Amino acid sequence: MKEIFKLSYLIAIVLFLTISCKDERKKTEKVLTQEATEEFNVIGNYVSEDYSKRSEGYDWVSVAITEANNNQLNISIRSRADKKKPTCTFDAVAKKVDDKVYQTQINGKSILFEFTNAQISISAEKEEHESLLYFYCSGGASIAGTYQKINEQMDQNQIDKTKFNSVLNLQDVGFSVSSIEKDGKNTLTISTFGLQESEYNQTFIIDGKEVTNAEVEDLNSDGSPELFVFTRSVGSGSYGKVYAFSVNNKKSMSEIYFQPTSENSVINKGYMGHDEFSLVENTLGQRFPIYKEGDTNAAPTGGTRQVSYKLVDGEAMRKLKVDKITEY
């Protein structure tokens, strides 16, 4: 009887230890999973080392990361601007390489954004392309380096108020695209450099909108580039708009007509915003969800409509004409 009791006691001890080990292992796995999730939550604000000394007058640079569509990130680099002109200004959309690495292409050169331990490191993919990282800064500075994540907004009293900034080049023509909020108004300024007869310099009031991206391409293969600036309305609708421009034989630049989607009966059935635009080979691509009657803004049920536009000559100006429509 005593032997049976001892055996039962030993079995109970073994079972208790086994269950305890499993519980501890599950707890450990849960903690590791949480840490991994936290480690790769790349969205947020990152700052250079001297941010902590900003009250002493030190210059600093910030990197704001927000989520974009299709496994992409919006990268926005800004610097201190309360005492002097901003040191660094850079905007780009970066595509996902893996959980830790994103990249963007600038004039055929890759810039890498690597995330580890609540940090982001910015570098050129190839050593010979490092000079590109100096282009977006003044005074010999570079956007390259490692930035530490913070859990609050950047110092709004010091940070550069530029909303968007990009410099693009194609076929020996350059474009500067910038958006800044000033005197209570949000503006979009577009200027050229390298045109042979008349440079373009125009500012548009875009209150209620934000610039999401800018791209260049020679859509009609005439040897001169086209510029496209994409905006969206601020709010739940996120209605997209295209500002398009065509360079005329590298001498001047003029606007291209793009009919607002809400006014285009060919494609606007079920349209309620949430546009995405991009250049695909020699076409402008647009994609948006289709809403059925009774759908809420947050829950479309009609699938997706994809539209491609060709650049054609019009009577007064060039225009973007619907070429293909696909629904899925």
Side-chain angles (χ1 to χ4, degrees):
M1 181 66 74
K2 290 182 178 179
E3 292 179 355
I4 294 175
F5 176 78
K6 288 180 179 179
L7 182 59
S8 299
Y9 179 75
L10 288 173
I11 292 172
I13 292 295
V14 171
L15 288 172
F16 174 77
L17 292 174
T18 301
I19 293 171
S20 297
C21 288
K22 287 183 177 178
D23 288 342
E24 288 300 320
R25 186 163 59 250
K26 287 180 179 178
K27 289 179 181 178
T28 302
E29 289 174 352
K30 184 176 181 181
V31 170
L32 290 174
T33 300
Q34 289 176 340
E35 289 177 351
T37 301
E38 291 174 359
E39 180 180 350
F40 295 116
N41 180 19
V42 300
I43 306 302
N45 298 314
Y46 301 76
V47 294
S48 60
E49 183 180 0
D50 287 336
Y51 181 76
S52 60
K53 302 177 184 177
R54 63 190 184 280
S55 60
E56 302 172 34
Y58 282 73
D59 194 13
W60 53 271
V61 178
S62 67
V63 184
I65 308 294
T66 57
E67 190 172 6
N69 296 306
N70 302 320
N71 288 320
Q72 299 182 120
L73 296 176
N74 295 312
I75 312 288
S76 179
I77 298 178
R78 298 290 183 268
S79 60
R80 184 169 190 166
D82 60 324
K83 294 184 178 295
K84 58 179 182 179
K85 290 184 178 180
T87 306
C88 297
T89 308
F90 174 83
D91 287 282
V93 176
K95 296 181 179 180
K96 185 175 182 178
V97 178
D98 57 42
D99 286 341
K100 296 182 179 180
V101 181
Y102 288 75
Q103 73 171 0
T104 190
Q105 293 276 334
I106 306 291
N107 297 330
K109 302 173 183 177
S110 291
I111 299 177
L112 300 179
F113 305 90
E114 301 181 67
F115 297 88
T116 56
N117 300 323
Q119 294 179 334
I120 178 175
S121 295
I122 302 175
S123 63
E125 184 179 33
K126 296 182 179 180
E127 187 175 347
E128 59 266 31
H129 295 161
E130 287 184 356
S131 60
L132 174 66
L133 305 179
Y134 290 83
F135 180 80
Y136 303 96
C137 299
S138 60
S142 167
I143 62 173
T146 299
Y147 303 80
Q148 189 71 38
K149 192 173 187 180
I150 58 175
N151 295 318
E152 65 267 5
Q153 291 296 316
M154 254 79 73
D155 189 334
Q156 297 301 306
N157 293 321
Q158 295 186 359
I159 196 168
D160 179 12
K161 297 297 191 296
T162 302
K163 299 294 185 182
F164 182 89
N165 186 75
S166 183
V167 178
L168 305 164
N169 293 274
L170 185 66
Q171 297 167 325
D172 299 321
V173 179
F175 307 87
S176 174
V177 181
S178 62
S179 175
I180 187 169
E181 189 172 341
K182 188 176 182 180
D183 299 327
K185 294 182 178 180
N186 192 19
T187 60
L188 166 64
T189 299
I190 296 170
S191 56
T192 61
F193 50 95
L195 296 183
Q196 297 171 7
E197 292 185 0
S198 177
E199 298 287 11
Y200 186 93
N201 191 342
Q202 185 70 40
T203 296
F204 304 85
I205 302 297
I206 58 169
D207 283 342
K209 302 183 185 69
E210 60 184 4
V211 178
T212 58
N213 200 14
E215 296 185 63
V216 292
E217 187 57 82
D218 184 1
L219 257 65
N220 56 359
S221 302
D222 67 348
S224 293
E226 278 73 46
L227 170 68
F228 295 83
V229 181
F230 309 127
T231 70
R232 66 183 172 202
S233 60
V234 179
S236 58
S238 297
Y239 287 89
K241 182 173 181 177
V242 177
Y243 291 83
F245 307 85
S246 184
V247 172
N248 310 305
N249 199 27
K250 295 185 179 180
K251 295 180 179 180
S252 61
M253 188 170 79
S254 53
E255 290 188 47
I256 297 170
Y257 177 69
F258 176 80
Q259 185 176 18
T261 305
S262 59
E263 300 173 9
N264 192 336
S265 60
V266 177
I267 60 172
N268 67 5
K269 184 178 180 180
Y271 172 73
M272 289 179 62
H274 302 282
D275 310 57
E276 298 175 36
F277 292 98
S278 63
L279 298 183
V280 183
E281 297 179 348
N282 289 332
T283 64
L284 168 66
Q286 178 188 21
R287 181 171 59 184
F288 55 85
I290 303 170
Y291 288 80
K292 291 185 177 181
E293 188 174 350
D295 285 351
T296 63
N297 187 271
T301 62
T304 301
R305 182 172 297 135
Q306 188 166 295
V307 184
S308 64
Y309 298 83
K310 287 285 189 181
L311 180 64
V312 299
D313 291 330
E315 293 182 5
M317 63 173 67
R318 288 172 176 166
K319 61 182 181 179
L320 290 159
K321 181 180 179 181
V322 173
D323 182 48
K324 295 179 181 178
I325 304 171
T326 307
E327 294 185 5
Y328 56 91

